[in-house]
Amino acid sequence: MFSWSNAKGIPYLQSSGLAACGFLEHAFCARKGGVSEDDYQSLNMSFREGDEEFRVLQNWNKLAAAFGIPVENFLVLNQVHRDGILVIPSRGEYFTSREDLNYDAIVTDRVHLAICIKTADCVPVFLADPENQVIAAVHAGWRGTAAGITAKVVRLMQNQYGSRPVDLLAAIGPSIGRCCYEVDAPAADAFRLHPDAKNFLFPSKRKDRWMLDLVQANRGQLIDCGIPDASIDASGLCTVCREDDFFSHRGSGGVTGRQINFLMLKGDPICKALLLNDDLCHIH
Ligand SMILES: [Zn+2]
């Protein structure tokens, strides 16, 4: 179950399963509580969508202050709609260039590193392994979902960290719902041959269009990996239907901001993350 909370004026959603884990901090933020204006109103966390840089910077500082996490401890990927997974080791300084962050998922056992997924319709998927204290954050649009990125993350956690799917907790945040996600042939074709396509690909009222349920497709990947259905929590909120609360690429017609979703292992920082990327190089 998801429920709303508020941190110093910033509303956010939490999954009850993840919230019950004392070693985690997480939030699926909405679009409210920031200083951006017009199409980006108000908590736009992306420097890449045409918003004024000083406002996005202020939004990042507000988020960091609200959750008591230093702004340099947030890691934001480039999110390139592929299936690459970035693994951040538990200790040791690391440095990444912008190009080095061309990934759509992060897995880590490093404490005090808030791994982020920016969204405006795509699906943010969080995973936590309470036994091994490993977390993952996934950006799953239709291309990543078709490439099986969520299943690949679970397999990586199994292979590199010894995670057992039966122990994993998953939370699927707000995204475009099957109510609103009409796709054309290229997207539908990417799923049509999947053995469970009937569970998440449906005919649309319009000719040569289909309704795609990305949440269900990603839930299916988690279940196929062996994660119990009861351990998978989904918000049930559609970003298009709830454009008052969330940025929606489809709902806005294209010009809009990005909300941030983050997941972090609590604990003392071992060392400061040295990061440089399009979204945070303005800060560091
Ligand atoms: Zn909808």
Side-chain angles (χ1 to χ4, degrees):
M1 212 177 76
F2 273 64
S3 56
W4 288 99
S5 294
N6 194 295
K8 296 183 180 168
I10 296 181
Y12 63 99
L13 285 159
Q14 281 198 316
S15 154
S16 54
L18 298 183
C21 295
F23 62 96
L24 291 177
E25 179 70 90
H26 82 285
F28 295 91
C29 290
R31 66 183 295 171
K32 294 177 176 171
V35 299
S36 294
E37 297 180 344
D38 303 324
D39 293 332
Y40 308 101
Q41 201 177 88
S42 63
L43 193 68
N44 168 41
M45 304 305 279
S46 176
F47 289 98
R48 297 178 176 186
E49 308 303 325
D51 192 2
E52 292 187 86
E53 198 174 298
F54 77 95
R55 293 192 203 279
V56 185
L57 192 55
Q58 258 185 281
N59 289 339
W60 271 103
N61 285 328
K62 279 193 79 161
L63 181 87
F67 287 91
I69 300 169
V71 78
E72 64 268 21
N73 287 40
F74 288 88
L75 175 59
V76 182
L77 299 172
N78 290 342
Q79 299 184 188
V80 291
H81 291 279
R82 293 200 288 266
D83 61 353
I85 305 166
L86 176 64
V87 177
I88 304 278
S90 63
R91 55 185 63 233
E93 293 210 352
Y94 64 94
F95 179 85
T96 55
S97 69
R98 294 172 199 196
E99 295 74 21
D100 286 342
L101 288 168
N102 285 340
Y103 293 94
D104 287 273
I106 316 173
V107 180
T108 192
D109 56 356
R110 178 175 296 231
V111 298
H112 224 248
L113 179 69
I115 56 178
C116 298
I117 300 295
K118 292 173 297 178
T119 52
D121 288 345
C122 288
V123 185
V125 182
F126 287 170
L127 286 154
D129 173 357
E131 296 301 315
N132 296 291
Q133 307 249 319
V134 182
I135 55 172
V138 187
H139 165 248
W142 76 259
R143 291 176 197 277
T145 303
I149 189 170
T150 297
K152 285 176 183 171
V153 166
V154 175
R155 286 190 212 109
L156 186 148
M157 292 172 78
Q158 288 179 265
N159 295 335
Q160 292 200 24
Y161 294 93
S163 298
R164 298 190 313 164
V166 69
D167 295 327
L168 296 181
L169 299 171
I172 304 174
S175 65
I176 192 167
R178 67 171 279 190
C179 41
C180 294
Y181 197 29
E182 186 182 66
V183 298
D184 55 13
D189 287 348
F191 293 92
R192 217 184 297 279
L193 295 178
H194 191 285
D196 296 324
K198 64 178 188 315
N199 293 337
F200 49 78
L201 188 64
F202 310 94
S204 167
K205 287 177 188 143
R206 294 204 297 164
K207 192 172 175 288
D208 297 329
R209 295 284 191 281
W210 292 264
M211 304 308 290
L212 180 57
D213 188 340
L214 284 179
V215 171
Q216 192 56 35
N218 281 283
R219 180 188 281 274
Q221 289 182 27
L222 296 167
I223 289 171
D224 287 347
C225 286
I227 299 179
D229 192 39
S231 302
I232 305 168
D233 198 4
S235 76
L237 297 174
C238 169
T239 45
V240 179
C241 293
R242 299 284 297 266
E243 216 191 332
D244 51 335
D245 284 320
F246 302 104
F247 293 112
S248 167
H249 186 265
R250 182 69 69 98
S252 68
V255 180
T256 192
R258 296 290 181 272
Q259 51 250 347
I260 204 75
N261 311 279
F262 73 85
L263 174 63
M264 187 186 84
L265 290 167
K266 288 182 187 171
D268 296 328
I270 293 168
C271 66
K272 188 178 161 185
L274 295 174
L275 302 168
L276 248 191
N277 66 61
D278 278 358
D279 283 298
L280 291 183
C281 67
H282 306 72
I283 295 168
H284 296 293

